[in-house]
Amino acid sequence: MDTGGWLVAGSRNRNEFVVINADDFGRVSSVQDSNGQNCQICGDDIEILEEEKEPFVACNECAFPVCRTCYEYERREGSQSCPQCKTRYKRRKGSARVEGDEEEDGDDDIEKEFSFGNFDTKETPSVSLSKLHSQLRIGQGSFTGSGIGTSSVHNPSFYTDTNIPLLTYGEEAGGISSDHHAFVIHPYVTQIHSRPTAGSSVSTQSRPINPDKDIAVYGYGTVAWKDRIDDWKKKQLTKLQRPQLEGGDGGGLDGDGLDNPDLPKSDESRQPLSRKLPIASSKINPYRIIILLRLVILGFFFHYRLRHPVPDAYGLWLTSVICEIWFAISWILDQFPKWYPVERETYLDRLSLRYEKEGKPSELADIDIFVSTVDPMKEPPLITANTVLSILAVDYPVDKVSCYVSDDGAAMLTFEALSETSEFARRWVPFCKKFNIEPRAPEWYFARKIDYLKDKVHPDFVRERRAMKREYEEFKVRINVLVAMAQKVPEEGWIMQDGTPWPGNSVRDHPGIIQVFLGHNGVLDEAGNELPCLVYVSREKRPGYNHHKKAGAMNALVRVSAVLSNAPYILNVDCDHYINNSKALREAMCFMMDPISGKKVCYVQFPQRFDGIDRHDRYSNRNVVFFDINMKGLDGIQGPIYVGTGCVFRRQALYGFDAPIKEKPPGKTCNCWPKWCCCCCGSKRKNRRGKQKQERKKTKTEHRESSTQVHALEISKEEAKGQESENSALVPREKLEKRFGQSSVFIASTLGENGGIAEGVSFASCLSEALHVISCGYEDKTEWGKEVGWIYGSVTEDILTGFKMHCHGWRSVYCIPKRAAFKGSGPINLSDRLHQVLQWALGSVEIFLSKHCPIWYGYRGGLKWLARFSYVNSVVYPWTSIPLVAYCTLPAICLLTGKFIVPEISIYASLVFIALFVSIAATGILEMQWGKASVDDWWRNEQFWVIGGVSSHLFALFRGLLKVLAGVDTNFTVTSKGGDDEEFAELYLFKWTSLLIPPLTLLILNCIGVVAGISNAITRGYESWGPLFGRLFFAIWVIMHLYPFLRGITGKQDRLPTIIIVWSTLLASICSLLWVRVNPFTSKYDGPVLEVCGLDCD
């Protein structure tokens, strides 16, 4: 039964397995390319106008030769000016009008004035032939239930026999930027040599040799030359092995150097694939010294604060001291995990030399890539399609890449959009690989402007890029039509092409759905090459089951991929994070496949980079401080935490197996002394220590066995021995089924460390088993979500999953390539950003209140102490919101009451406060120096820490307590209030939500306090200005941190939102009444009351 390209759906519990329909792919047509070289941009012949009988002239000033096609394209998409003299193009007869054209009299060509679709009055032969062969295919990917069909346009690709020299990704070579990928070929050049790629032998220009002289004069072939070569080899070997002898890690990860049988030799292909680069001592040593000094200063600070209370404001003083102690603890948890920051460097050429040998199949490991999406209305299908296209075009062997798209909403819109994407990929993928373009997500690639003459781009590239952009615009139209049709769901539900109802019409009650679009049905791209595997997956959902949201969907993908492809490594990305660097997978493999240090790496985490963020990054959306400072610090301990996307996993680590433990060699003993001497010299103490060590080792082993680790090697040994007892043979099988579920195919896939599926198994049976492993009841009474796969119990399943891996002794790696590996889109609006932070903080509160809290979980495992500090900080930070709100309220109270949290400041106190502020500033400056972050990034991070702390973290804390302790789940609604159509319009859109109430209240209170404090000082005279400065500094500190919030709620509107005016008036009235009650204008006199006695003393 061949099911390649067929949609299958079914449920193991209901004994259903249905093959619904098959895909029909259109034929690929090809055209002959034009060889004209007259146009200075594309090389085509310049047409002869019929009326003037003269060649077409684009520019009247310099008559620079440009064809009609390039002229129209420059007017629509380019600078609208001549490339040579920079004069603006005037509109020609028959051309479409564009913005900026002068008003003209007459209507000689009014029918063509706004026609962009047919702007050529007489097309060149290549363009005419392209339009002649393009065909419109109606019906595929349509919603039959709605009665409207969508079209799929097949445009031919342009091919050329010229060998085009390509540029390396992300780097400039020879003055040519990475935006352009070929050179102009001179008509007289008959042969062009392509640039060598990574892994090939690069030939350098040799110095000229005079044949009349002896070759020995140049140093070749002599004894001295041989000695120089031998010395060089010895130096290389000594340089490589010296770190191992000295006890270092030799650039590796865990110091497994000298005793490892895979120790690399002097051959380049045997060298380490990556290197650890510690921060320069000139940067890191002052940083550590400042941290220690800051600890000492904190000691003096708290000594002074505790020894000098404020009697007349004891409540304010006590509150401030408690808040300051909590802030100090939070700072320690955040600071010390950054004690050992490191950077890493990869060697892609060595990876190619080791695993991609010439004339042999590639030995690079297979990778399964997971893309998760839920609601196509909130996550646009076009964004998901761009992510999938960037995956299919990645620079990696095609037969080793499989892409799995999880649609947890079972939306037919996502299914149809993915069908259109698979068809467009047949043209997009060969175009990307032919010209080596970056990035390989078409939406972001075509958003970049190219100056065709600045760097002499090859005409074939210009022509094919233009054709590909037209095809992508048509692809976007088809996707948008699908989205428009999906707005209204038919009463009977969606109907597929063959009349079958869509299995996912009921979102909460539908069978599992699997569709293989590419990879197993013999579909080739237009260049005749294979395409990566593309699979659509929607797991089964039934009422009464807990499906565990994203974590459950990811675990379903783990099982499906294990049955269909079973790659040893897994990459997961969000649907809005596309691959920006086509070599990102190779970067990760430099760590995973390193024979020395890669065996203990559970995952490689890449930093998140974002598109569409405003230049000032008002709400710290880029998280530069976290990704460029904190994560580098964690990488020097046990590795970064898992952030939910852009991460390459080792499949064995996801299965909950322990990290491999390296056995230490036996200790060296001396037998030169008699045994009785050893007994007298403390053998009892040694025996006692040995027993304690064995007990600790036994306890540690029992702790690891408590997670029911069943390694494949143990099972293989038992099977190899051929045990006769049936009970002993059933024990491993029962353990595996209890751990992984009732699927023999999936259990068999977990036994192989290097992945791969069994030979001789039909693809139809694999699909049937894949439907079984995504059934809603498969995880019952198993360890999925507890010890295996993504861990359940929190909305931030990423932190839990990485934490469990580190507890099993694994380490992770942080990889920052020169060109960002992944890019995504983040919320730039204030309300949306606060809701994003709310979800993260809520997940941290759930982890804090669960058994997996890092404070009490994972001891006697493989988690290091500084790494534990980091995880504790990641779940404790929402609790900082309570002291932060109290501390931000204190300045307003002090200004309104005329009291302060600090008594009269002495010289000693002034020195302590100044030293504390200087140490805080010095720590930030040094962090920015070695983390390569800017002052703006650091300051925006500090500001949003206060904004998020007094709003999102506070609400997440109460919401988490209600959810965990009382079982009450609350939601916050977001309402749009305004906006405009300008660039970054969403940034200025005001959306009211209850999260805005606490920071708005604090901002208004402190502003009222400043006014009240200044008014009080004016009435009391100059003596009261001195104490006022301390209170004003305290209040202005709060206002400066909340300034981005003030900008966000005002936006670009002509008037303030009504809710802000009402809330400000209410708070001002309340504060005014309290201020009058305090009565600050009445003079205070603490002496005896004097009265007139009435006697005349004179």
Side-chain angles (χ1 to χ4, degrees):
M1 177 182 176
D2 184 13
T3 59
W6 294 71
L7 172 67
V8 294
S11 173
R12 173 60 67 92
N13 298 334
R14 302 190 180 187
N15 196 19
E16 298 175 354
F17 181 73
V18 184
V19 180
I20 297 179
N21 70 322
D23 285 333
D24 292 329
F25 290 90
R27 298 177 180 177
V28 181
S29 59
S30 61
V31 296
Q32 207 68 7
D33 207 0
S34 177
N35 295 323
Q37 294 291 333
N38 291 330
C39 176
Q40 296 299 310
I41 295 180
C42 68
D44 287 341
D45 296 333
I46 297 179
E47 64 175 335
I48 304 297
L49 301 179
E50 294 180 356
E51 298 180 2
E52 290 82 4
K53 303 298 181 182
E54 294 180 355
F56 173 79
V57 178
C59 179
N60 293 332
E61 300 294 330
C62 65
F64 185 71
V66 176
C67 67
R68 185 65 174 263
T69 304
C70 295
Y71 162 79
E72 296 289 353
Y73 187 85
E74 283 294 321
R75 279 172 49 80
R76 289 184 293 115
E77 304 289 340
S79 60
Q80 301 182 0
S81 60
C82 175
Q84 179 169 289
C85 65
K86 305 303 180 182
T87 303
R88 179 182 174 85
Y89 280 137
K90 293 184 178 180
R91 178 175 171 268
R92 300 299 180 190
K93 184 177 181 180
S95 300
R97 184 179 297 276
V98 298
E99 184 179 358
D101 285 344
E102 299 177 357
E103 296 294 335
E104 299 174 0
D105 297 332
D107 55 351
D108 54 346
D109 59 338
I110 192 66
E111 68 277 3
K112 298 182 179 180
E113 189 173 81
F114 299 100
S115 175
F116 286 100
N118 186 17
F119 53 79
D120 290 338
T121 58
K122 184 178 180 181
E123 296 173 336
T124 60
S126 61
V127 177
S128 301
L129 189 57
S130 171
K131 292 188 176 182
L132 180 62
H133 282 275
S134 62
Q135 53 185 349
L136 186 65
R137 184 161 52 86
I138 308 295
Q140 181 178 358
S142 62
F143 292 97
T144 311
S146 61
I148 304 176
T150 60
S151 61
S152 174
V153 178
H154 260 300
N155 285 334
S157 298
F158 298 96
Y159 298 98
T160 176
D161 296 333
T162 308
N163 190 7
I164 302 173
L166 304 179
L167 299 182
T168 58
Y169 77 100
E171 299 179 357
E172 296 189 3
I176 300 179
S177 66
S178 59
D179 298 341
H180 314 96
H181 312 279
F183 302 106
V184 168
I185 302 176
H186 196 275
Y188 300 107
V189 177
T190 58
Q191 184 179 5
I192 297 179
H193 301 279
S194 59
R195 286 178 179 262
T197 57
S200 62
S201 59
V202 182
S203 61
T204 58
Q205 184 179 1
S206 59
R207 57 177 178 170
I209 297 178
N210 189 351
D212 298 333
K213 295 183 178 181
D214 186 8
I215 194 172
V217 176
Y218 297 92
Y220 300 103
T222 62
V223 177
W225 174 258
K226 182 177 182 301
D227 293 337
R228 289 176 60 190
I229 293 295
D230 293 337
D231 292 340
W232 179 82
K233 291 181 178 180
K234 291 180 181 179
K235 289 180 180 179
Q236 293 297 319
L237 186 60
T238 304
K239 183 179 180 181
L240 178 65
Q241 294 183 353
R242 183 182 296 115
Q244 313 295 342
L245 297 173
E246 294 175 354
D249 57 1
L253 298 171
D254 35 52
D256 298 345
L258 190 60
D259 298 323
N260 197 306
D262 294 325
L263 179 67
K265 310 300 180 184
S266 58
D267 183 12
E268 182 71 15
S269 64
R270 303 289 304 278
Q271 297 289 329
L273 303 180
S274 62
R275 184 170 63 133
K276 184 163 61 176
L277 304 174
I279 304 299
S281 58
S282 60
K283 297 180 180 179
I284 195 62
N285 287 339
Y287 175 68
R288 293 169 177 169
I289 293 173
I290 290 296
I291 292 176
L292 297 178
L293 287 177
R294 186 170 171 181
L295 277 176
V296 175
I297 294 172
L298 276 176
F300 285 106
F301 173 78
F302 284 116
H303 177 268
Y304 172 80
R305 295 284 283 134
L306 294 173
R307 294 291 299 273
H308 295 80
V310 182
D312 58 342
Y314 191 81
L316 298 178
W317 170 83
L318 183 61
T319 303
S320 63
V321 169
I322 294 175
C323 294
E324 289 162 358
I325 292 175
W326 181 267
F327 294 152
I329 296 174
S330 300
W331 172 76
I332 291 174
L333 292 176
D334 178 70
Q335 190 68 62
F336 278 92
K338 295 181 282 189
W339 189 264
Y340 299 104
V342 297
E343 295 178 346
R344 298 192 184 273
E345 185 179 54
T346 57
Y347 303 103
L348 300 180
D349 52 346
R350 295 178 182 176
L351 181 73
S352 298
L353 286 173
R354 183 187 290 267
Y355 296 108
E356 292 182 308
K357 299 178 181 178
E358 187 177 358
K360 296 182 180 180
S362 175
E363 298 178 1
L364 291 173
D366 295 0
I367 301 180
D368 291 336
I369 304 177
F370 297 167
V371 181
S372 58
T373 181
V374 180
D375 188 355
M377 295 303 173
K378 296 180 180 179
E379 300 164 335
L382 187 62
I383 301 299
T384 305
N386 273 268
T387 301
V388 173
L389 289 171
S390 67
I391 293 172
L392 297 178
V394 71
D395 184 8
Y396 206 77
V398 173
D399 59 331
K400 297 182 179 296
V401 176
S402 299
C403 178
Y404 295 85
V405 180
S406 171
D407 179 16
D408 218 28
M412 191 173 181
L413 173 58
T414 304
F415 178 84
E416 294 288 346
L418 205 60
S419 176
E420 292 286 349
T421 303
S422 65
E423 181 66 20
F424 178 71
R426 299 175 61 224
R427 300 182 290 277
W428 173 252
V429 173
F431 171 76
C432 294
K433 294 186 176 181
K434 180 179 180 181
F435 295 104
N436 196 24
I437 67 170
E438 296 284 357
R440 299 189 176 181
E443 181 70 24
W444 303 105
Y445 171 71
F446 289 121
R448 305 165 62 187
K449 300 295 183 181
I450 292 181
D451 188 351
Y452 297 107
L453 296 179
K454 180 179 179 181
D455 295 311
K456 303 294 183 183
V457 181
H458 192 275
D460 290 337
F461 170 69
V462 175
R463 185 164 46 251
E464 292 194 32
R465 182 184 185 274
R466 188 174 299 163
M468 184 55 63
K469 185 173 183 179
R470 285 197 299 266
E471 293 187 14
Y472 176 66
E473 294 296 332
E474 295 167 356
F475 168 74
K476 289 173 63 176
V477 171
R478 296 195 297 272
I479 296 296
N480 291 332
V481 168
L482 294 175
V483 175
M485 292 164 53
Q487 299 293 330
K488 186 177 181 181
V489 181
E491 294 181 359
E492 65 278 7
W494 298 113
I495 306 297
M496 304 188 68
Q497 286 182 333
D498 57 357
T500 307
W502 170 245
N505 279 325
S506 178
V507 178
R508 299 182 180 180
D509 187 6
H510 65 83
I513 308 172
I514 297 177
Q515 167 72 55
V516 181
F517 287 106
L518 300 173
H520 287 279
N521 43 19
V523 179
L524 305 177
D525 61 22
E526 291 191 345
N529 301 319
E530 294 183 1
L531 288 168
C533 181
L534 177 61
V535 184
Y536 170 89
V537 179
S538 181
R539 56 179 173 149
E540 181 185 14
K541 287 190 175 182
R542 302 296 180 189
Y545 287 90
N546 187 0
H547 300 290
H548 301 288
K549 299 181 179 179
K550 180 182 177 181
M554 299 303 294
N555 285 336
L557 286 184
V558 171
R559 298 190 293 270
V560 169
S561 62
V563 173
L564 297 181
S565 55
N566 195 30
Y569 303 105
I570 294 173
L571 165 66
N572 90 287
V573 293
D574 290 340
C575 63
D576 59 346
H577 277 71
Y578 64 91
I579 297 181
N580 183 65
N581 183 351
S582 62
K583 298 184 184 295
L585 300 185
R586 295 177 179 268
E587 297 275 356
M589 290 302 104
C590 285
F591 299 103
M592 289 293 195
M593 299 185 69
D594 194 304
I596 296 179
S597 56
K599 296 179 180 179
K600 293 191 67 175
V601 177
C602 58
Y603 61 82
V604 177
Q605 178 67 61
F606 292 90
Q608 291 185 18
R609 307 300 185 196
F610 299 96
D611 287 317
I613 305 297
D614 62 300
R615 181 170 57 89
H616 300 288
D617 193 15
R618 181 183 298 173
Y619 309 121
S620 188
N621 287 277
R622 293 189 179 94
N623 282 331
V624 175
V625 173
F626 175 76
F627 286 111
D628 290 352
I629 296 179
N630 294 45
M631 296 287 269
K632 288 181 181 179
L634 294 176
D635 196 15
I637 305 171
Q638 198 173 349
I641 63 176
Y642 169 44
V643 297
T645 183
C647 186
V648 178
F649 287 96
R650 185 183 300 274
R651 187 180 286 268
Q652 293 294 316
L654 278 174
Y655 288 159
F657 294 140
D658 287 330
I661 301 176
K662 177 178 172 55
E663 296 182 0
K664 296 182 179 180
K668 298 180 181 180
T669 59
C670 179
N671 55 2
C672 57
W673 294 93
K675 294 182 179 180
W676 61 268
C677 183
C678 296
C679 295
C680 297
C681 294
S683 61
K684 294 182 179 180
R685 181 181 301 176
K686 292 183 179 179
N687 292 334
R688 191 183 306 114
R689 292 180 179 177
K691 290 181 180 180
Q692 294 176 357
K693 188 174 182 180
Q694 288 179 0
E695 290 177 358
R696 289 196 299 267
K697 186 176 181 180
K698 182 179 179 181
T699 307
K700 186 175 180 180
T701 304
E702 291 177 354
H703 170 74
R704 291 197 172 187
E705 287 179 354
S706 64
S707 62
T708 58
Q709 299 294 331
V710 184
H711 200 273
L713 184 58
E714 300 175 1
I715 303 166
S716 301
K717 289 181 179 179
E718 292 181 2
E719 294 178 354
K721 291 179 181 178
Q723 298 174 348
E724 296 180 358
S725 175
E726 294 182 0
N727 293 333
S728 60
L730 288 175
V731 169
R733 174 64 60 181
E734 292 175 355
K735 288 184 178 180
L736 288 173
E737 289 180 351
K738 184 179 179 180
R739 184 176 182 81
F740 297 114
Q742 303 289 330
S743 173
S744 57
V745 176
F746 176 75
I747 290 176
S749 69
T750 63
L751 304 182
E753 184 178 357
N754 297 324
I757 56 178
E759 297 181 358
V761 181
S762 64
F763 190 66
S765 61
C766 290
L767 285 177
S768 177
E769 194 66 25
L771 287 173
H772 170 49
V773 298
I774 62 173
S775 59
C776 54
Y778 181 83
E779 296 182 355
D780 293 346
K781 298 180 180 180
T782 66
E783 296 188 6
W784 283 99
K786 303 173 184 176
E787 296 290 337
V788 181
W790 270 258
I791 307 302
Y792 303 151
S794 172
V795 295
T796 54
E797 70 286 336
D798 45 5
I799 297 178
L800 263 182
T801 304
F803 173 63
K804 293 281 285 188
M805 291 183 183
H806 285 151
C807 288
H808 283 298
W810 296 93
R811 70 151 298 127
S812 55
V813 172
Y814 194 51
C815 180
I816 310 179
K818 293 181 180 179
R819 179 181 179 88
F822 304 92
K823 280 191 175 182
S825 56
I828 63 174
N829 180 265
L830 175 61
S831 300
D832 295 338
R833 172 70 167 143
L834 290 177
H835 273 267
Q836 182 188 55
V837 176
L838 171 68
Q839 289 298 110
W840 297 343
L842 177 61
S844 298
V845 175
E846 291 175 346
I847 297 174
F848 181 86
L849 299 175
S850 69
K851 69 175 183 179
H852 294 115
C853 180
I855 298 177
W856 51 73
Y857 181 85
Y859 290 95
R860 298 178 181 174
L863 188 65
K864 297 183 180 180
W865 277 100
L866 287 180
R868 183 177 298 276
F869 274 25
S870 173
Y871 278 110
V872 171
N873 183 53
S874 66
V875 300
V876 166
Y877 75 90
W879 296 85
T880 309
S881 59
I882 295 178
L884 185 61
V885 170
Y887 209 69
C888 291
T889 310
L890 290 177
I893 298 177
C894 293
L895 288 169
L896 290 172
T897 59
K899 300 178 181 179
F900 200 41
I901 59 176
V902 179
E904 186 176 352
I905 300 178
S906 60
I907 298 178
Y908 170 76
S910 301
L911 293 177
V912 171
F913 290 157
I914 293 174
L916 181 62
F917 291 140
V918 170
S919 65
I920 293 174
T923 305
I925 292 173
L926 292 175
E927 279 186 355
M928 289 184 285
Q929 185 179 12
W930 61 256
K932 301 176 183 178
S934 64
V935 178
D936 289 339
D937 295 328
W938 181 82
W939 175 237
R940 295 302 184 195
N941 180 78
E942 294 294 317
Q943 288 179 316
F944 197 79
W945 176 76
V946 175
I947 296 173
V950 300
S951 58
S952 298
H953 299 172
L954 183 65
F955 277 82
L957 181 60
F958 291 114
R959 182 178 174 183
L961 292 173
L962 290 174
K963 183 178 180 180
V964 175
L965 302 180
V968 178
D969 194 4
T970 57
N971 292 317
F972 302 94
T973 58
V974 181
T975 307
S976 300
K977 298 298 182 182
D980 51 35
D981 297 330
E982 299 180 6
E983 187 180 7
F984 304 117
E986 188 181 357
L987 177 66
Y988 307 106
L989 185 65
F990 179 75
K991 298 180 181 180
W992 173 253
T993 174
S994 53
L995 295 177
L996 302 178
I997 295 178
L1000 180 61
T1001 303
L1002 291 175
L1003 185 64
I1004 296 174
L1005 283 176
N1006 281 275
C1007 291
I1008 294 174
V1010 170
V1011 175
I1014 295 177
S1015 302
N1016 191 17
I1018 292 175
T1019 58
R1020 292 190 175 186
Y1022 69 93
E1023 294 182 354
S1024 60
W1025 284 97
L1028 178 65
F1029 285 138
R1031 306 186 188 105
L1032 285 179
F1033 174 80
F1034 201 10
I1036 293 174
W1037 177 87
V1038 177
I1039 295 174
M1040 288 178 61
H1041 280 77
L1042 294 176
Y1043 177 72
F1045 173 82
L1046 178 62
R1047 290 283 305 275
I1049 61 178
T1050 56
K1052 278 191 172 182
Q1053 304 177 26
D1054 297 334
R1055 61 183 182 86
L1056 290 175
T1058 305
I1059 185 65
I1060 298 177
I1061 298 176
V1062 173
W1063 192 249
S1064 303
T1065 305
L1066 180 62
L1067 288 178
S1069 303
I1070 295 174
C1071 293
S1072 300
L1073 293 175
L1074 292 175
W1075 194 31
V1076 171
R1077 179 67 180 86
V1078 174
N1079 196 11
F1081 294 100
T1082 304
S1083 60
K1084 303 293 189 302
Y1085 181 71
D1086 297 333
V1089 179
L1090 301 178
E1091 295 181 358
V1092 180
C1093 60
L1095 299 177
D1096 188 4
C1097 298
D1098 296 334

